[in-house]
Amino acid sequence: MKTTAPRIVRPNDGKPGDLGSIGARFMIYGEECGGGFSLVEHPMPPRRLAAPLHRHTREDEYSFVLEGRLGALLGDDVVYAEPGDLVFKPREQWHTFWNAADEPARILEIISPAGFEHFFDELSSRPTDGAPDPAELGTLAARYGLELDFESIPGLMQRFSVVFGPEVG
């Protein structure tokens, strides 16, 4: 694997992306560090569900809260994390997460091993003229070993008082 020279990733560095419900800033791709991990920042609007229930088959995720309040459903457990907290989301566990506050939140998502950042990259590169086609999204997810439960969205929105999808207005 190729690695790059040491560097500083400044607050305005990294490729920005829009994942529909939350944002992304690609800070370190796996190809830059030998594939052991990747690092993506997720800015999250208030009371926003990041994704339907889902599980990864190839990687673990670690969400470090920079600002705001993160809620997460990890299997059957509901947890809340504040700035400085780290939420571990192991592979093969059904989970989702959301901004649990009325103010914006930001998390650093550490993905290990790397590779799944390219799912986010592909998702953010799709046309944004409406909701993604579930079949198309399912095909993309399958390429990355991701299972999505779209039917979970209405119940999650009601249970945690959040919305899903792009900001309106």
Side-chain angles (χ1 to χ4, degrees):
M1 288 253 152
K2 176 187 169 193
T3 57
T4 58
R7 67 187 168 106
I8 294 174
V9 180
R10 304 238 182 245
N12 292 321
D13 292 347
K15 179 182 172 186
D18 182 354
L19 304 180
S21 199
I22 64 172
R25 179 170 66 109
F26 300 93
M27 299 175 72
I28 299 175
Y29 284 91
E31 294 80 4
E32 299 175 81
C33 62
F37 77 99
S38 60
L39 185 63
V40 178
E41 178 185 22
H42 289 303
M44 304 173 67
R47 313 291 293 146
R48 191 72 49 166
L49 178 65
L53 272 174
H54 60 283
R55 70 176 167 183
H56 304 264
T57 61
R58 301 177 187 163
E59 59 278 318
D60 300 317
E61 292 179 306
Y62 306 82
S63 298
F64 183 80
V65 181
L66 297 171
E67 65 183 51
R69 185 166 192 249
L70 180 75
L73 178 61
L74 310 172
D76 293 329
D77 297 324
V78 177
V79 299
Y80 292 93
E82 307 286 336
D85 291 340
L86 180 73
V87 178
F88 173 44
K89 300 175 286 187
R91 71 189 80 190
E92 299 294 345
Q93 181 180 61
W94 285 97
H95 67 276
T96 191
F97 60 100
W98 60 92
N99 179 347
D102 294 324
E103 298 82 32
R106 283 187 314 125
I107 64 170
L108 286 179
E109 192 82 337
I110 303 158
I111 303 164
S112 177
F116 191 73
E117 72 276 16
H118 295 291
F119 170 83
F120 292 142
D121 207 358
E122 285 191 54
L123 183 60
S124 69
S125 297
R126 69 170 183 73
T128 56
D129 56 347
D133 173 49
E136 182 182 318
L137 192 52
T139 300
L140 175 63
R143 284 204 321 266
Y144 289 94
L146 177 68
E147 296 176 61
L148 297 163
D149 179 3
F150 292 106
E151 293 179 7
S152 69
I153 295 171
L156 292 166
M157 289 172 54
Q158 181 177 13
R159 181 176 177 189
F160 300 111
S161 299
V162 293
V163 295
F164 181 71
E167 285 189 272
V168 180

